[in-house]
Amino acid sequence: MTIYFIPLAVIILFSINQLTNTLCVQKEIPEDKQPVVFRTINVLITILLISSYFEMLFT
């Protein structure tokens, strides 16, 4: 299960980062605030992926 989940998680993070970049461009978020937006979204998505991994692992 880990063999499939880790590559899928990387693909999800890459896709979310592309969508975040599109959001920043579309909403014209200033360059100095973009790292905060990316960091917040990446931390939240990582927490979501880790919790879903543990849920699949223990059920």
Side-chain angles (χ1 to χ4, degrees), residues 20 23-24 29 33-42:
T20 304
L23 172 76
C24 289
I29 296 174
K33 294 194 180 211
Q34 286 184 12
V36 176
V37 172
F38 274 93
R39 189 178 317 117
T40 302
I41 291 175
N42 282 335

Side-chain angles (χ1 to χ4, degrees), residues 2-58:
T2 304
I3 296 171
Y4 299 113
F5 191 83
I6 292 175
L8 181 63
V10 171
I11 291 169
I12 290 171
L13 278 172
F14 182 73
S15 300
I16 294 296
N17 279 331
Q18 285 182 329
L19 290 172
T20 304
N21 187 38
T22 304
L23 172 76
C24 289
V25 169
Q26 187 177 19
K27 295 296 180 183
E28 299 175 357
I29 296 174
E31 290 285 328
D32 58 333
K33 294 194 180 211
Q34 286 184 12
V36 176
V37 172
F38 274 93
R39 189 178 317 117
T40 302
I41 291 175
N42 282 335
V43 167
L44 292 173
I45 294 298
T46 304
I47 291 170
L48 180 68
L49 288 168
I50 290 171
S51 65
S52 63
Y53 176 74
F54 282 127
E55 182 180 342
M56 287 177 20
L57 189 64
F58 294 119

